[in-house]
Amino acid sequence: MDARKKLNLKDKYALMTRDLGWETSYQPMDKVFPFDQYEGIKIHDWDKWEDPFRMTMDAYWKYQAEKERKLYAIIDSFAQNNGHMNVSDARYINTLKLFLTGVTPLEYAAHRGYAHLGRHFRGVGARVACQMQSIDELRHCQTQVHTLSLYNKYFNGFAEWPHMYDRVWYLSVPKSYFEDAMSAGPFEFITAISFSFEYVLTNLLFMPFMSGAAYNGDMATVTFGFSAQSDESRHMTLGLEVVKFLCEQDAGNVPIVQKWLDKWFWRGFRLLTLVGMMMDYMLPKRVMSWSEAWKIYFEDAGGALFKDLERYGLRMPKYHEIATQTKDRITHEAWATFYNYGAAADFHTWVPSDEELDWLSAKYPDTFDSVYRPRFEYWREQQQAGKRFYNANLPMLCQTCQVPMFFSEPDDPTKIAYRESTYHGMKFHFCSDGCKDIFEGEPEKYVQAWLPVHQIYQGNCGGASLEDVLKYYNLSHGHDNLDFAGSPDERNWNAWKDESSAHASGE
Ligand code: FE
Ligand code: ZN
């Protein structure tokens, strides 16, 4: 009998993967792997790394190919059956513009980041896991682009996403988040993305977009979401394994990891403001509120997770109480800001309908009626009087998260939170203690931030007028931007709907 047949799955997998790595002899190992020590992380035995999914490349390709076949079959039928006409309301499409411009480029960035790790970790198990994830992320980027290209045929705001990613003001928020991780060392990158984002916070991104898509009749997006989800569970398991492995390898790793958890929790929380805003304001059919999602996926699930991690010497990320304390505010503050700057955004904004305002009042009983609702109602009055308000002054941005300074003081929802720090005689501004701490941890990194507002004022974005800047963004004025009311998207949608109801009634 063949001896290999007697091996169990784990040993068999070890033979197929670990033996691909060897101790180099022509060059010292430290020269071959130059990046995995300067962060201070000590690994004594890479063989203690447990591969959560023991998958060979051969099985991986077969499995992924099967998912691709299913996905593209559904996308074809979506295209042939004018699936875009089944969404709840044309306002919904704006969530997809936000996703394509803000999230899809992050998939590509993740592909690059994991490819780098797949080369530079000394441990073979970790290298193989990162190589697979790198390919997953490239696939996610491609399937999202292919799926959303269907909407590009019918709606504005989709065409220029790669150009916009490097330029448009609010897209510097996701971009800087990922570039911060990619320009860190390999252990920080994997802790930031695999653990802090994919393990701790990813449900807060995927659940609302995918359930939101399902609720709003968007079967194309549901399909790419499902197709990515099985990869996602592999990524999440990798994230948890990384953190446990680092803590078990050396007690000196624990404070380093904790510092990364603090930093990346806060950066992730700030980034997710955009997702929360989408849930509370941009889905015509709501799934749940941001505050409800935060309770379920962070306070409850995250709380239990960190309880579990106590035995590794880790604690809840710093400022998690502030995140929870402000969960009933950040989405309103964000939507109000996009409403103000809707002339320079790549999607449409609007004041919620009465029914939607009532939903917000019910979901946010402590803050909405007293702080936010009167402002929206005032803006609507102004709009109806033909004076739709667009802010022409540019806001100050937080040096760390790059979000405009619109977050309020944890203890006072009527006061903008503002922090500052001095470095080499220069003043820098922050939205929160969390962002200030991150800056002060590595000021030499964050002073280099490409802040869109500063760049506009310095004349680096096409010129001084809105028209110049929109040109620099490749943003088509009157098509991609401004209020949903009166937009070509709205006009087209109403015309198509009239036409199809006329057909249905035999006119
Ligand atoms: Fe992905
Ligand atoms: Zn900030």
Side-chain angles (χ1 to χ4, degrees):
M1 200 177 121
D2 189 338
R4 277 172 306 175
K5 284 190 179 141
K6 286 181 194 150
L7 295 172
N8 67 28
L9 200 64
K10 188 176 168 184
D11 294 336
K12 200 170 152 194
Y13 182 74
L15 277 178
M16 283 194 290
T17 55
R18 304 298 166 90
D19 288 358
L20 296 174
W22 63 89
E23 288 276 325
T24 56
S25 56
Y26 300 163
Q27 291 287 334
M29 286 289 274
D30 287 351
K31 264 180 102 178
V32 179
F33 298 101
F35 297 128
D36 70 352
Q37 293 189 316
Y38 75 88
E39 297 168 281
I41 291 289
K42 291 196 178 63
I43 305 297
H44 303 289
D45 184 3
W46 273 106
D47 282 336
K48 291 264 156 52
W49 174 278
E50 283 288 338
D51 304 302
F53 284 79
R54 295 190 192 96
M55 199 191 264
T56 59
M57 270 296 165
D58 178 57
Y60 173 82
W61 289 117
K62 282 180 190 152
Y63 190 57
Q64 299 300 80
E66 186 52 35
K67 285 196 287 190
E68 294 281 278
R69 268 193 293 278
K70 286 183 187 147
L71 172 75
Y72 284 96
I74 295 175
I75 289 178
D76 273 352
S77 84
F78 184 89
Q80 281 161 19
N81 295 301
N82 288 326
H84 65 281
M85 290 303 292
N86 294 330
V87 302
S88 54
D89 175 345
R91 287 181 307 163
Y92 166 75
I93 305 294
N94 293 290
T95 65
L96 300 179
K97 301 175 192 176
L98 186 57
F99 193 93
L100 179 68
T101 56
V103 180
T104 301
L106 299 188
E107 303 276 17
Y108 191 75
H111 155 65
R112 292 178 58 204
Y114 282 99
H116 178 70
L117 266 52
R119 161 64 182 84
H120 284 292
F121 277 137
R122 226 167 277 223
V124 181
R127 263 204 330 261
V128 171
C130 290
Q131 283 163 13
M132 279 185 195
Q133 181 157 354
S134 173
I135 303 164
D136 291 340
E137 303 296 4
L138 182 58
R139 188 178 86 88
H140 296 172
C141 179
Q142 288 172 340
T143 54
Q144 289 165 21
V145 172
H146 288 156
T147 306
L148 295 172
S149 72
L150 298 172
Y151 289 98
N152 178 46
K153 294 181 192 162
Y154 304 101
F155 299 93
N156 294 316
F158 286 91
E160 295 290 341
W161 62 275
H163 180 89
M164 287 178 175
Y165 181 59
D166 296 324
R167 291 169 176 77
V168 176
W169 58 282
Y170 56 93
L171 297 177
S172 82
V173 174
K175 180 181 156 87
S176 74
Y177 170 92
F178 229 94
E179 289 185 348
D180 188 348
M182 288 170 83
S183 55
F187 288 109
E188 182 177 347
F189 178 91
I190 200 167
T191 305
I193 305 303
S194 294
F195 183 76
S196 294
F197 198 76
E198 306 221 67
Y199 198 85
V200 183
L201 298 174
T202 209
N203 279 328
L204 286 157
L205 171 68
F206 258 73
M207 182 285 304
F209 266 109
M210 296 316 140
S211 311
Y215 267 48
N216 288 278
D218 174 11
M219 292 329 285
T221 298
V222 171
T223 307
F224 82 61
F226 273 132
S227 183
Q229 209 155 35
S230 52
D231 300 338
E232 220 53 57
S233 56
R234 194 156 21 86
H235 302 171
M236 290 174 73
T237 322
L238 173 63
L240 192 59
E241 174 56 26
V242 167
V243 162
K244 290 180 176 172
F245 176 70
L246 293 182
C247 293
E248 279 169 349
Q249 279 293 305
D250 196 287
N253 293 344
V254 175
I256 302 175
V257 170
Q258 182 67 55
K259 195 178 164 215
W260 291 336
L261 298 188
D262 292 347
K263 168 180 169 182
W264 289 97
F265 165 78
W266 190 258
R267 291 225 61 181
F269 168 64
R270 277 299 187 237
L271 176 63
L272 286 173
T273 304
L274 290 169
V275 179
M277 170 185 95
M278 186 278 292
M279 295 173 73
D280 282 347
Y281 285 88
M282 299 174 73
L283 292 176
K285 287 189 183 159
R286 300 329 198 230
V287 178
M288 62 170 78
S289 69
W290 166 255
S291 131
E292 289 167 324
W294 185 256
K295 170 88 177 77
I296 296 170
Y297 295 112
F298 184 76
E299 291 174 66
D300 297 348
L305 167 69
F306 280 96
K307 193 102 209 95
D308 248 25
L309 292 175
E310 272 173 13
R311 66 194 154 101
Y312 296 91
L314 298 170
R315 51 156 175 78
M316 283 283 268
K318 200 175 172 189
Y319 300 123
H320 72 93
E321 313 89 333
I322 305 289
T324 297
Q325 192 185 352
T326 56
K327 70 179 174 184
D328 55 359
R329 290 189 241 156
I330 59 170
T331 64
H332 319 302
E333 292 162 349
W335 186 247
T337 303
F338 275 94
Y339 186 85
N340 266 254
Y341 294 102
D346 176 53
F347 56 87
H348 300 300
T349 52
W350 54 87
V351 169
S353 68
D354 281 330
E355 207 182 32
E356 289 164 343
L357 290 173
D358 291 345
W359 183 88
L360 290 162
S361 295
K363 293 293 181 189
Y364 294 97
D366 298 332
T367 52
F368 196 70
D369 285 352
S370 56
V371 186
Y372 306 107
R373 187 166 180 142
R375 190 161 57 172
F376 284 121
E377 287 174 341
Y378 174 74
W379 282 338
R380 184 167 55 189
E381 259 169 48
Q382 293 294 301
Q383 185 200 7
Q384 284 167 355
K387 294 182 281 187
R388 165 58 159 98
F389 178 67
Y390 292 107
N391 200 327
N393 298 306
L394 302 183
M396 179 183 276
L397 304 180
C398 172
Q399 188 76 26
T400 301
C401 69
Q402 308 202 10
V403 177
M405 308 273 283
F406 62 65
F407 296 108
S408 49
E409 281 294 350
D411 297 327
D412 184 357
T414 64
K415 196 171 157 200
I416 298 280
Y418 174 89
R419 304 287 180 273
E420 61 175 53
S421 186
T422 302
Y423 181 69
H424 286 187
M426 298 252 288
K427 268 203 169 56
F428 295 90
H429 311 281
F430 311 96
C431 71
S432 55
D433 292 325
C435 280
K436 181 176 189 271
D437 280 11
I438 294 169
F439 175 89
E440 288 175 351
E442 290 168 280
E444 65 285 357
K445 183 174 202 178
Y446 298 101
V447 293
Q448 303 175 56
W450 194 92
L451 296 177
V453 168
H454 291 203
Q455 294 299 321
I456 291 172
Y457 280 136
Q458 286 171 31
N460 297 330
C461 300
S465 71
L466 176 68
E467 198 190 336
D468 294 333
V469 174
L470 294 185
K471 224 182 235 151
Y472 169 79
Y473 287 173
N474 279 3
L475 202 153
S476 171
H477 185 61
H479 296 91
D480 299 339
N481 60 353
L482 305 182
D483 205 294
F484 178 72
S487 67
D489 273 5
E490 183 197 41
R491 269 202 307 279
N492 290 336
W493 177 257
N494 290 339
W496 298 330
K497 280 285 173 192
D498 285 351
E499 208 175 285
S500 60
S501 58
H503 280 301
S505 61
E507 281 168 42

